[in-house]
Amino acid sequence: MKNYISINQKNFIEIAKQKNIKIDAIDGILFDWIQNFTKSNKALKKLIENKLYIWVSYAAIREDNPLCNINSNDVVGRRLNKLVDLGL
């Protein structure tokens, strides 16, 4: 479990407003987790057609972020898709 959450709320909110996408604190928490995870040596990275893809375990996201109260992979998937739509 990650002990601290650190995101630039002003920028995160501005990006969401520009794209007309509603966000909340859970989206921010997941973005922070993913941002840190992608920098870790645990991240499985693959370059496919000149695009970098990073494999993320939905179970790890749920377990590492208990404050989010996410209990299903479906919810994690929808939250991650929202971050993709934001361009993050």
Side-chain angles (χ1 to χ4, degrees), residues 13-50:
I13 291 167
E14 185 59 35
I15 290 168
K17 282 182 181 178
Q18 289 173 0
K19 304 239 179 184
N20 199 29
I21 296 174
K22 291 185 180 187
I23 59 166
D24 59 20
I26 294 173
D27 297 316
I29 290 168
L30 297 182
F31 172 70
D32 182 62
W33 186 91
I34 290 168
Q35 181 180 8
N36 288 297
F37 177 77
T38 59
K39 296 175 188 174
S40 77
N41 58 1
K42 294 179 182 178
L44 175 61
K45 301 173 184 178
K46 292 191 177 196
L47 190 62
I48 302 171
E49 296 180 11
N50 292 325

Side-chain angles (χ1 to χ4, degrees), residues 54-71:
I54 300 170
W55 179 83
V56 181
S57 166
Y58 286 16
I61 290 173
R62 290 193 326 271
E63 291 167 9
D64 287 352
N65 297 286
L67 190 61
C68 294
N69 291 315
I70 297 175
N71 298 315

